Amino acid sequence: MKRSLIVLTIASLSAIGMCQQFEVLYSKKVDKWEAKFTYPTYLTRDALSGIANAGASKTAKGAFDHFLKNARANERQGWQDPEWMLRADATIGVSNAAIRSMMWTAYEYTGGANGNSFFISKTYGLQGELKLSDLLMPGTDKVAFSKSAVLQKLNEFKKERGAEPIGDLSAEMAEQFVVTPAGITWLFNKYDVGSGAEGTYQVKVKWNEMPAGIDRDGLLAGLITSAENAFPIKGTLNWTGDATMPPGARVLFRVFEHIADKPATYVIEKSMPATSLGQPINFTIDKSRLKPNRQYQVEAVIQIDGHNWFRNTTAIFLSEDGDLGSVTVDPYQYPEMERPWMRLQGTVGYRERMMVPEGSIVRFKLMRASREAGNPVLAQKTMRFTGVGMLFDVTFSNSEMRSGPHYIEVTLEDGRNVMFKSDPISVEKFGWEGPPEITLKRVVNR
């Protein structure tokens, strides 16, 4: 089995900084099959993240392994089909301190005239995987509730597709949902509520459209309150100087009430990727957390690996319409050799005449040179390999670096196999002075 674990992106999803990365299971055998299944891994170290991570991994690996088991059985029997395919892309519905909800949009072809489109959804709380009844008032019938919430909208969609309406939902269909900040979306697979020609359906029901029975004071309380008090914030982000943003740079917005001679107390925090000069600022805060008739300010800080890089030096006032205007941040005055992170840029490739499998990754490892300690890996980052001579731009926090030599090791990997590897590259806390061209060497006897 070939599995590639690829970090696609890191995103902060809520005011308390619920960060996650998407990982990928991948296997391909030419003219036989190709399977790709993504799933999220939450990076925060709390009980709910552990529960959600275990559930998401189990869901993804279960479906992935089931597909490969059937494919290999078909191969042993003498392959007669066109190439099989499995693709499942994960989406985060919502991530907060009470709930982690996610869905997969999937397509599978295992022979025959047509493939099958379908959804998978999972929602987790501290008690484990959540069912619809966990989100309803005690005694509420989940099927009756789902019918009241969904059927009218579903039949309107069916009418638009020239299909006949339906009058009932099953208990299984009631459980096919994903929670979002705006409400609950019910997911209907191909053939669930009609012919295959109708395809799939997604029926979105907002919190203010929910029928009686939703538990507004339970696990959903924060989401419902936030939706009812949604306050959109907009503007543009700029910074002084000609700095470019490395992948992973984020701008953190913190709302506070300025009180003379008192330290700022932040009432709301939101973050978004920092990418380019003049990029739009666009996020939503919960207005119920702001006291009426008070003047609030916003602090804007661009961070690299959790360390400040830029911040606003002039006051940013939160206006009644939420328009921050042009937000300009200025650099922290770190001595160049004393920044709390290192930034490494350059190119990487190899000289062999060979192609590496699709889905291969480049891994950068920051290591401490200590034979006694076994040259421990302090941190690592990965990116998709796009070809020989690809540009890279990675950062590492210096917080774990000690006295003594440290180095970067770069590997090119296909799943669990290391195909190419660099010699150790010495590195200081500020990085290296000039962008190198890193040439990897073939690893033999794998």
Side-chain angles (χ1 to χ4, degrees), residues 196-400:
E198 292 180 51
T200 62
Y201 291 93
Q202 297 186 46
V203 180
K204 302 176 182 180
V205 183
K206 296 181 180 180
W207 299 124
N208 61 5
E209 300 172 333
M210 290 291 175
I214 196 79
D215 187 357
R216 296 178 177 272
D217 298 319
L219 295 171
L220 303 173
L223 291 172
I224 295 174
T225 299
S226 296
E228 291 173 346
N229 295 279
F231 184 31
I233 306 298
K234 59 184 178 180
T236 57
L237 177 66
N238 293 283
W239 52 86
T240 56
D242 58 357
T244 58
M245 294 291 117
R250 301 194 67 80
V251 55
L252 175 65
F253 297 95
R254 297 188 279 210
V255 180
F256 65 98
E257 182 182 5
H258 176 69
I259 301 176
D261 301 324
K262 289 188 177 182
T265 300
Y266 303 112
V267 295
I268 297 174
E269 294 187 2
K270 288 281 187 174
S271 75
M272 56 184 282
T275 56
S276 59
L277 285 166
Q279 73 178 74
I281 297 170
N282 187 7
F283 59 90
T284 301
I285 64 175
D286 180 1
K287 197 170 185 178
S288 68
R289 301 179 66 182
L290 306 179
K291 298 177 181 178
N293 303 317
R294 301 288 185 91
Q295 179 64 67
Y296 288 90
Q297 295 185 30
V298 179
E299 180 183 68
V301 183
I302 295 179
Q303 296 183 329
I304 303 292
D305 284 282
H307 300 288
N308 296 338
W309 189 14
F310 288 80
R311 66 179 172 186
N312 62 296
T313 54
T314 58
I316 305 170
F317 292 95
L318 183 60
S319 62
E320 291 185 359
D321 63 0
D323 190 349
L324 303 181
S326 179
V327 173
T328 300
V329 292
D330 300 305
Y332 274 67
Q333 298 303 314
Y334 292 119
E336 180 63 23
M337 302 303 184
E338 297 180 17
R339 293 178 308 180
W341 74 89
M342 68 175 70
R343 185 174 183 179
L344 309 175
Q345 297 171 284
T347 62
V348 64
Y350 56 87
R351 291 179 180 162
E352 304 245 356
R353 292 187 176 181
M354 64 173 288
M355 297 291 291
V356 299
E358 181 183 354
S360 297
I361 62 169
V362 180
R363 187 184 304 275
F364 296 84
K365 292 186 287 189
L366 173 62
M367 307 179 72
R368 181 163 62 89
S370 172
R371 183 176 300 177
E372 294 79 9
N375 299 326
V377 177
L378 304 181
Q380 56 184 304
K381 294 192 176 180
T382 62
M383 62 180 61
R384 185 191 299 271
F385 182 67
T386 58
V388 173
M390 66 171 276
L391 298 171
F392 65 85
D393 187 350
V394 296
T395 58
F396 289 105
S397 171
N398 296 333
S399 58
E400 296 187 47

Side-chain angles (χ1 to χ4, degrees), residues 22 33 52 99 110 136 145 152 159 229 306 310 356 359 373:
F22 287 91
W33 69 76
I99 282 183
T110 55
L136 304 179
F145 176 86
Q152 181 178 345
K159 183 177 180 180
N229 295 279
F310 288 80
V356 299

Side-chain angles (χ1 to χ4, degrees), residues 37 65 67 84 207 322 361 386 409:
F37 210 112
D65 291 345
F67 174 88
W84 284 13
W207 299 124
I361 62 169
T386 58
E409 181 180 270

Side-chain angles (χ1 to χ4, degrees), residues 408-421:
I408 297 291
E409 181 180 270
V410 186
T411 55
L412 177 55
E413 304 174 12
D414 168 29
R416 300 180 184 275
N417 298 320
V418 176
M419 297 177 290
F420 293 89
K421 182 178 180 181

Side-chain angles (χ1 to χ4, degrees), residues 20-147:
Q20 89 287 322
Q21 67 188 23
F22 287 91
E23 299 179 348
V24 178
L25 299 174
Y26 182 83
S27 177
K28 179 177 177 64
K29 189 161 188 178
V30 176
D31 297 329
K32 297 293 190 298
W33 69 76
E34 182 173 17
K36 183 178 181 182
F37 210 112
T38 71
Y39 65 98
T41 297
Y42 295 92
L43 305 180
T44 48
R45 296 182 179 180
D46 60 277
L48 182 51
S49 291
I51 292 169
N53 288 346
S57 175
K58 180 179 179 180
T59 298
K61 292 176 181 177
F64 184 81
D65 291 345
H66 180 74
F67 174 88
L68 289 183
K69 179 181 179 181
N70 290 338
R72 291 195 174 98
N74 195 37
E75 182 182 28
R76 288 192 297 270
Q77 294 168 7
W79 197 279
Q80 300 295 325
D81 293 317
E83 184 177 87
W84 284 13
M85 175 179 288
L86 173 67
R87 183 182 180 95
D89 297 312
T91 302
I92 300 296
V94 73
S95 175
N96 63 23
I99 282 183
R100 308 290 168 83
S101 190
M102 63 197 73
M103 63 174 284
W104 287 265
T105 304
Y107 172 82
E108 183 178 44
Y109 175 78
T110 55
N114 298 296
N116 184 35
S117 299
F118 61 98
F119 300 108
I120 303 172
S121 61
K122 296 289 181 180
T123 299
Y124 299 97
L126 285 173
Q127 59 268 57
E129 185 176 346
L130 299 178
K131 301 301 182 182
L132 183 59
S133 57
D134 296 311
L135 309 179
L136 304 179
M137 296 290 291
T140 302
D141 182 89
K142 67 179 182 181
V143 176
F145 176 86
S146 300
K147 288 170 60 177

